[in-house]
Amino acid sequence: MSGPLNGIRVLELGQLIAAPFATKLLAEFGAEVIKVETPEGGDPLRTWRKMHGDTSLWWYLQSRNKKSIAVNLKTPDGLDIVKRLAASADVVVENFRPGGLEKLGLGWDVLSSLNPNLTMVRISGYGQTGPYRDRPGFGAIGEAMGGLRYTTGSPDSPPARVGVSIGDTLASLHGVIGALMSILNVKVNGGAGQVVDVSLVESVFNVMESLVPEYDLLGEIRTRTGGALPGITPSNTYPTQDGGFVVIAGNSDPIFRRLMTAIGRPDLAEDPRMRSNDGRSQHAALLDGVIGDWSKARSVDDALAALDAADVPAGRIYSVADIVADPHYQARDMILEAELPGGTQVKMPGIVPKLSGTPGAVRWQGPALGAHTDAVLADLGLDATAIQTLRDAGAVK
């Protein structure tokens, strides 16, 4: 393996999105990720959304570079395998409901006693403590209770959701950040391992900007504003003559002046009321109307050409077809060619972020259930006979 996380072993005890997305990122940058799955079907994500044969396309992406072992955690031998793997791991990532691992005998007290340098990333709906800790919580609930959905959508419509599982992935990113900080503390500072407690609700709440102080000091409850960015003006989505939309962000003072000049309103560029964002935000409806009138008289391409010439940040709203065809995505290796079982070629997203010296890589797509069971067990010192005995006893597949 290569990458900045080469030599880091990660044990994944998770399924679906939050924990597996976190370990996907670690695996892309060189960590050895061993994913523990149930012998009966494995991770449910294997059959979610669009399929290639009997396997989800999402699975092939989310589980790339991971090793799959099929272990029955309802057996003593299966639990012993997990303990042995945790004893040699740097990180365990799990997204059981709080207390789930403890019921199996795999709680923090047990695993940390086997490996004092272990970092355990625990992703759950509400965190490991607090009055809601035992409630079931998916990303959708995190988005709702974290404040995101209250601010998403049109003012005259019910709260909307983002079209992807953003609550889960925000929790994943916080889990990765916490894991890397803990690993650094162990490897560089000589510290002990620790629990990284990640809540779906809190991960969403953490990106909600100045929501709380605005409410506390000003009584302001930020709500849905459609395509506009509240309090940042002008920044909105504007219709075009050909039925499309352009997003225009003219919210810094010099950019605003360039924008007004580009759309033929130099008077507004020089208007004393519009010299700062505070003043412009008081006249957001006026400015949105003026910009919208200009955009509606032009195609998307013509509007973007004029704004680009004026050095004003603007862009079309991309569909996936736009993304795949875009030369910038291609030049940045953000659309990669992959091969699925049977030789089928398919495009997959590239790797983020881009590291100049130790970049991430895709070594293989999401593996078959239990594809690495024998190899991982052999690495633990078990010979073929011992592995077959475990298989016959139903501890592994």
Side-chain angles (χ1 to χ4, degrees), residues 44-388:
L45 193 76
R46 288 179 175 275
T47 58
W48 274 31
R49 294 188 64 81
K50 302 297 183 180
M51 307 284 286
H52 172 70
D54 60 358
T55 302
S56 163
L57 290 170
W58 195 356
W59 167 262
Y60 287 119
L61 169 64
Q62 180 125 301
S63 298
R64 61 191 184 189
N65 298 336
K66 299 181 186 180
K67 297 178 179 179
S68 169
I69 64 170
V71 178
N72 186 352
L73 297 182
K74 297 178 182 178
T75 67
D77 287 334
L79 294 174
D80 182 64
I81 290 169
V82 171
K83 290 176 183 178
R84 293 178 65 178
L85 288 171
S88 65
D90 297 284
V91 184
V92 169
V93 182
E94 64 101 357
N95 62 342
F96 282 70
R97 196 185 299 190
L101 281 186
E102 282 74 9
K103 291 178 182 177
L104 292 171
L106 297 173
W108 169 246
D109 57 338
V110 173
L111 299 187
S112 63
S113 68
L114 297 172
N115 182 355
N117 290 330
L118 183 68
T119 293
M120 178 179 275
V121 178
R122 315 197 73 168
I123 303 176
S124 62
Y126 303 92
Q128 301 298 310
T129 62
Y132 300 161
R133 72 180 294 269
D134 294 323
R135 293 183 182 180
F138 276 12
I141 310 306
E143 295 161 26
M145 292 187 64
L148 182 63
R149 295 218 181 174
Y150 198 83
T151 64
T152 304
S154 173
D156 55 359
S157 299
R161 71 165 296 154
V162 178
V164 294
S165 304
I166 192 68
D168 289 291
T169 50
L170 283 172
S172 300
L173 292 172
H174 283 88
V176 169
I177 293 167
L180 295 178
M181 288 191 287
S182 181
I183 291 171
L184 190 66
N185 186 54
V186 171
K187 302 289 186 182
V188 175
N189 299 330
Q194 61 188 302
V195 172
V196 178
D197 182 359
V198 178
S199 154
L200 291 165
V201 172
E202 292 162 2
S203 296
V204 174
F205 178 64
N206 194 38
V207 302
M208 294 306 296
E209 301 173 351
S210 55
L211 207 68
V212 169
E214 289 173 4
Y215 169 70
D216 188 44
L217 291 183
L218 306 175
E220 177 75 18
I221 297 179
R222 195 184 301 182
T223 186
R224 299 179 296 285
T225 54
L229 186 60
I232 309 296
T233 307
S235 183
N236 211 333
T237 303
Y238 303 94
T240 58
Q241 187 181 58
D242 53 359
F245 296 91
V246 290
V247 176
I248 302 174
N251 38 287
S252 81
D253 298 343
I255 292 175
F256 171 74
R257 291 191 290 271
R258 295 199 299 270
L259 171 60
M260 291 300 102
T261 301
I263 69 172
R265 292 301 304 268
D267 57 310
L268 290 174
E270 302 302 326
D271 190 325
R273 299 174 300 168
M274 310 294 180
R275 286 178 180 167
S276 68
N277 180 68
D278 288 346
R280 292 193 296 272
S281 293
Q282 295 176 31
H283 302 282
L286 168 65
L287 292 173
D288 281 340
V290 168
I291 299 169
D293 289 342
W294 176 83
S295 66
K296 283 185 288 188
R298 289 157 179 79
S299 67
V300 170
D301 288 341
D302 289 344
L304 291 177
L307 295 168
D308 186 53
D311 203 20
V312 172
R316 69 179 74 238
I317 296 176
Y318 272 23
S319 70
V320 65
D322 297 319
I323 289 171
V324 170
D326 187 272
H328 188 80
Y329 272 85
Q330 295 169 6
R332 296 274 297 170
D333 290 328
M334 285 310 302
I335 306 296
L336 303 179
E337 292 292 336
E339 184 174 303
L340 301 182
T344 299
Q345 297 295 309
V346 64
K347 290 180 171 61
M348 290 281 187
I351 294 174
V352 180
K354 307 293 186 189
L355 274 63
S356 63
T358 54
V362 178
R363 295 177 292 281
W364 62 83
Q365 308 309 314
L369 176 60
H372 301 93
T373 300
D374 286 14
V376 170
L377 294 181
D379 189 52
L380 289 177
L382 279 68
D383 61 21
T385 301
I387 294 172
Q388 188 58 49

Side-chain angles (χ1 to χ4, degrees), residues 12-21 35-36 38 42-45 62 94-96:
E12 181 197 310
L13 302 175
Q15 60 182 15
L16 297 177
I17 306 173
F21 186 80
K35 179 178 177 65
V36 177
T38 61
D43 190 328
L45 193 76
Q62 180 125 301
E94 64 101 357
N95 62 342
F96 282 70

